[in-house]
Amino acid sequence: MGNSLKAIVAFVPSDECQKYLLEDLEEMPVDKTVDLSGRQLRRLPLHICSFRELVKLYLSDNNLNHLPPELEQLQNLQILALDFNNFKALPLVVCTLKQLCILYLGNNKLCSLPLELRLLQNLKTLWIESNCLQYLPEVVCELSLLKTLHAGSNALRSLPTQLRCLQELRTIWLSGNLLSEFPPVLLDMPFLEVIDVDRNSIRFFPSLAHLPGLKLVIYDHNPCRNAPKVAKGVRRVGRWSEETPEPRKRSGAVIEITLDEKPSPPPAAKPEPE
């Protein structure tokens, strides 16, 4: 079915037309996964909410701006992808899905997140990149099991100090924001493994050598005057990354920090829950 025809049919609310868009998806697949990405959907077909054992639901790249309250029936859902839609606010029904491990909200029009998000205490991965966030909602800091936070391409100027409470957080992507200084709270998070502050407005980097868990820092495309100092074995991507910021001395000899090749950017493929 061509995309132009899908777009026309999507405007017709009849059950027949919606069934046409779903390509006769009437029963829950054996793998408990429904992928309705790129179907030009303007509303979620209600019969999908009857698949109560559903584990993964992909609704990416549609024209959705709301979700039906019947979605609450999917209490076994672990992955929900709502990226590349037209959401201006996160539907509160999403916050009732307490088994969610991975939530994709990128490329929408979100300016905030509801306080009810705190109910998703099993959430390990949250993607909120490419929205309209001018600040990181403090409710994110209440997601105690969060391991990966992708908040790039927003309009963030700072991070809340409460972020240090996320002791399970290992990876934070902040590229393409409006940070004018390296977020001080990250200096108090020794468990972080990956920090990405690419494409911001940071002019000076403090030393990161005291962060024992750090494996990779990406700081390219900043108007910085220095490279962040890091411990031995930590990879850096950015200006002067091939240089040794602080040679280590051992028994009178200078031991240079060797750096690995430039790593790849964040994977485009959506990860699976652990």
Side-chain angles (χ1 to χ4, degrees):
M1 186 195 310
N3 286 334
S4 58
L5 181 56
K6 284 183 179 180
I8 295 173
V9 174
F11 278 101
V12 183
S14 71
D15 291 338
E16 290 76 11
C17 289
Q18 293 300 307
K19 191 173 181 180
Y20 183 54
L21 288 171
L22 296 179
E23 299 177 1
D24 294 325
L25 178 63
E26 296 182 357
E27 298 181 359
M28 186 181 70
V30 177
D31 62 0
K32 300 181 181 180
T33 298
V34 170
D35 188 351
L36 299 178
S37 301
R39 302 292 184 92
Q40 303 291 332
L41 295 176
R42 295 180 178 274
R43 62 185 178 92
L44 179 65
L46 289 182
H47 83 273
I48 297 297
C49 300
S50 67
F51 299 165
R52 300 199 176 197
E53 299 302 315
L54 199 65
V55 174
K56 305 173 187 178
L57 177 57
Y58 297 95
L59 299 173
S60 307
D61 192 20
N62 280 293
N63 296 306
L64 300 172
N65 57 28
H66 70 282
L67 294 172
E70 288 83 357
L71 189 73
E72 185 177 4
Q73 300 176 37
L74 304 182
Q75 285 301 312
N76 290 301
L77 207 61
Q78 295 181 27
I79 300 178
L80 178 60
L82 300 174
D83 46 332
F84 292 93
N85 276 285
N86 294 316
F87 291 103
K88 294 182 179 179
L90 179 64
L92 293 182
V93 66
V94 173
C95 301
T96 68
L97 305 174
K98 297 183 180 180
Q99 296 304 315
L100 279 184
C101 297
I102 301 178
L103 179 58
Y104 297 102
L105 300 174
N107 290 273
N108 279 285
K109 301 173 183 177
L110 302 175
C111 294
S112 63
L113 294 173
L115 293 177
E116 288 81 356
L117 190 72
R118 62 165 64 105
L119 299 175
L120 301 182
Q121 284 300 308
N122 285 308
L123 206 62
K124 295 182 179 179
T125 299
L126 177 62
W127 287 48
I128 50 176
E129 79 285 3
S130 299
N131 275 286
C132 304
L133 299 171
Q134 296 185 14
Y135 62 92
L136 184 68
E138 293 185 4
V139 66
V140 172
C141 304
E142 299 185 44
L143 303 173
S144 60
L145 295 183
L146 200 65
K147 297 183 67 174
T148 299
L149 176 61
H150 193 334
S153 299
N154 280 286
L156 305 181
R157 297 180 180 275
S158 63
L159 297 180
T161 58
Q162 296 93 323
L163 195 69
R164 64 167 62 96
C165 297
L166 297 182
Q167 298 192 13
E168 296 298 319
L169 194 65
R170 296 295 179 267
T171 302
I172 185 165
W173 306 98
L174 298 167
S175 61
N177 277 288
L178 301 176
L179 301 172
S180 59
E181 66 172 349
F182 186 83
V185 66
L186 300 184
L187 300 175
D188 297 329
M189 301 177 70
F191 34 81
L192 283 175
E193 296 179 358
V194 177
I195 299 174
D196 178 11
V197 289
D198 184 29
R199 294 185 292 114
N200 277 278
S201 300
I202 301 172
R203 294 186 175 277
F204 176 80
F205 280 93
S207 173
L208 307 179
H210 66 289
L211 300 178
L214 194 61
K215 297 178 180 179
L216 169 66
V217 56
I218 304 174
Y219 66 97
D220 210 5
H221 305 101
N222 279 280
C224 52
R225 303 188 303 271
N226 69 311
K229 296 179 181 179
V230 295
K232 183 177 181 179
V234 178
R235 293 185 293 174
R236 298 178 301 169
V237 177
R239 192 178 182 188
W240 309 296
S241 62
E242 290 79 17
E243 300 176 9
T244 302
E246 189 174 20
R248 294 170 176 265
K249 293 183 179 181
R250 185 181 301 167
S251 302
V254 175
I255 308 298
E256 291 189 357
I257 300 174
T258 58
L259 299 170
D260 296 333
E261 66 280 0
K262 182 176 180 179
S264 302
K270 295 179 170 63
E272 299 293 315
E274 297 182 350

